[in-house]
Amino acid sequence: MATELFTWHTVSDTLNDFKCGLSLAQESGADSLLVLTCSQNNYPEKELNALLTACPLKLFGGIYPMLTLQGDLIQQGAVIIGFRETFDITLFTQLNHVTTESSLEEFITSTLKEKQNFRGQDNFLMFYDAQISNIEGFIDCLFECLDHGISIAGGGAGNLDFVQRHCVFSNSGIHSDAILLVALPRTLNTSVAHGWTTFDEPFLVSEAQGQTVQSLNYQPAYEVYCQTIENTSEYNFDDTDFFDIAKHFPLGIKDINNNIIVRDPILTKNNHLQCFGNIPINSMVYLLEGKVDSLVASTEKAAVTLFSKLSQTTTPITMVFDCISRALFMEDEFEKELNVIAEQCHSGALFGVLSLGEIANSQSGAIRLLNKSIVISSW
């Protein structure tokens, strides 16, 4: 039996239409609502906050660059999913003020204590402000603090201009600098893919700080990155916007299982590369490249893997966290990716977000921040 009860969407960017959808959801008989809106809507924040805080049902979600429903891309508007259960939701706020490992551990441990260590809850969705600077510290600490393994899928909320704004929804309103953990009523199954391949031999990360790569092979990181691409392709950084080229050539780090974790260079400053995720000093990074066909094929394989192992006795709910930079890279062909998922998902609700960073378990069970990847999750 599916837990999903109500599905509503609009491609209108007006708050009045969203208000109508929220009213219909509250009248549907649902007990919990997943609320997703597009950043392009630019809803008046004060009015939106009032709608969220007035909602009598348990509510969670956020603002994302774009949304998906079945095989369709929604570039403006909203999606609301109503569920039969009352979901257990935990909100972590003011993460940017928790700057040290010890304070982060204390912060998470105190919350876990209040939640009795999430006893009996092993399956979670995670919605978070993508501009949190220590998101990887948080997920590492969460994994270490829990005394049982959890399954998790999630994605970063926000806007493509990378300016921190309120973007995470709960019953207490709209938040920035926040993480929302939503405990699921059934077992979460996930499948992860990216489809990027190595373009050049690895470079030593000789200087780095968090998400900033300062030097590669003891040379300025930006110069090495540009020269490598210009020497082996038709691209020239002198006459093209940095991100228009960089979206084709992410960086990749091999994990302990020899899987590539992708890191997305989003901008450059002072001859450094600013990435969307940490790159450890003294690690080896590959320059990656991709083609639409290889990205879509990897997504199709992930979808086949996931849906083939789901129980035939239940109607699954499927939520996809798909990196927005995959859509920017594939452009008009992006719907191929959505279509191969829809073709494999034969029943149940299918919806998702185009996210700024993705969260999923690695093969070892540890929680990882991903870039330029897709996480397909069903429960």
Side-chain angles (χ1 to χ4, degrees), residues 67-372:
L67 310 175
T68 63
L69 184 64
Q70 299 306 123
D72 296 325
L73 180 65
I74 299 174
Q75 300 187 51
Q76 67 175 32
V79 171
I80 300 176
I81 310 292
F83 299 95
R84 300 178 192 276
E85 288 84 7
T86 300
F87 284 52
D88 183 8
I89 298 169
T90 304
L91 179 66
F92 299 83
T93 59
Q94 297 185 317
L95 268 296
N96 284 333
H97 295 284
V98 189
T99 57
T100 65
E101 186 175 342
S102 60
S103 60
L104 186 59
E105 182 177 347
E106 182 180 348
F107 176 56
I108 292 176
T109 301
S110 63
T111 303
L112 293 180
K113 186 176 181 180
E114 291 176 11
K115 286 287 182 175
Q116 295 186 328
N117 214 29
F118 292 125
R119 187 176 301 160
Q121 298 172 320
D122 298 325
N123 305 278
F124 296 88
L125 295 180
M126 179 172 162
F127 303 88
Y128 68 96
D129 177 356
Q131 299 306 317
I132 292 174
S133 59
N134 59 344
I135 185 64
E136 286 176 274
F138 177 88
I139 59 177
D140 288 346
C141 192
L142 179 68
F143 179 73
E144 292 296 328
C145 289
L146 285 170
D147 60 0
H148 56 97
I150 67 170
S151 296
I152 192 166
N159 196 300
L160 267 176
D161 62 8
F162 304 115
V163 175
Q164 188 169 53
R165 297 185 181 88
H166 294 85
C167 59
V168 174
F169 298 155
S170 78
N171 290 95
S172 56
I174 179 170
H175 311 272
S176 63
D177 193 16
I179 296 171
L180 203 64
L181 276 182
V182 181
L184 297 174
R186 295 191 297 187
T187 300
L188 177 71
N189 291 280
T190 61
S191 194
V192 179
H194 59 72
W196 300 92
T197 57
T198 54
F199 174 71
D200 206 338
E201 290 303 306
F203 302 95
L204 173 67
V205 180
S206 41
E207 286 181 280
Q209 186 171 10
Q211 300 180 347
T212 303
V213 182
Q214 296 157 328
S215 70
L216 296 169
N217 291 348
Y218 301 98
Q219 301 295 319
Y222 175 70
E223 292 180 9
V224 173
Y225 180 81
C226 293
Q227 288 170 7
T228 304
I229 293 171
E230 289 177 346
N231 289 343
T232 51
S233 74
E234 73 279 10
Y235 292 104
N236 189 307
F237 284 86
D238 290 337
D239 54 19
T240 309
D241 179 74
F242 173 78
F243 188 73
D244 285 342
I245 300 176
K247 68 183 181 182
H248 297 273
F249 299 100
L251 301 176
I253 314 167
K254 277 192 177 179
D255 66 13
I256 59 174
N257 298 306
N258 284 326
N259 295 316
I260 293 288
I261 298 174
V262 184
R263 285 291 174 259
D264 204 357
I266 54 174
L267 55 89
T268 178
K269 186 177 181 180
N270 299 327
N271 258 343
H272 301 160
L273 293 176
Q274 178 71 39
C275 297
F276 216 70
N278 292 344
I279 297 186
I281 191 170
N282 294 326
S283 61
M284 302 298 291
V285 295
Y286 293 82
L287 195 59
L288 307 178
E289 65 176 343
K291 294 181 173 58
V292 171
D293 288 348
S294 67
L295 269 66
V296 172
S298 72
T299 296
E300 184 174 31
K301 182 178 178 180
V304 169
T305 299
L306 176 66
F307 293 118
S308 65
K309 68 182 181 183
L310 295 180
S311 169
Q312 301 302 310
T313 61
T314 60
T315 304
I317 294 165
T318 300
M319 183 168 186
V320 179
F321 297 90
D322 199 341
C323 186
I324 180 61
S325 64
R326 292 175 72 86
L328 297 176
F329 172 75
M330 289 191 260
E331 296 180 337
D332 293 341
E333 297 182 273
F334 176 66
E335 289 197 0
K336 290 181 178 179
E337 175 147 288
L338 302 182
N339 289 336
V340 295
I341 301 172
E343 287 167 4
Q344 298 300 323
C345 182
H346 301 299
S347 62
L350 172 62
F351 55 91
V353 297
L354 299 197
S355 50
L356 299 161
E358 300 73 53
I359 299 291
N361 297 92
S362 67
Q363 285 181 331
S364 66
I367 309 169
R368 292 283 179 260
L369 172 67
L370 311 173
N371 297 162
K372 285 188 177 293

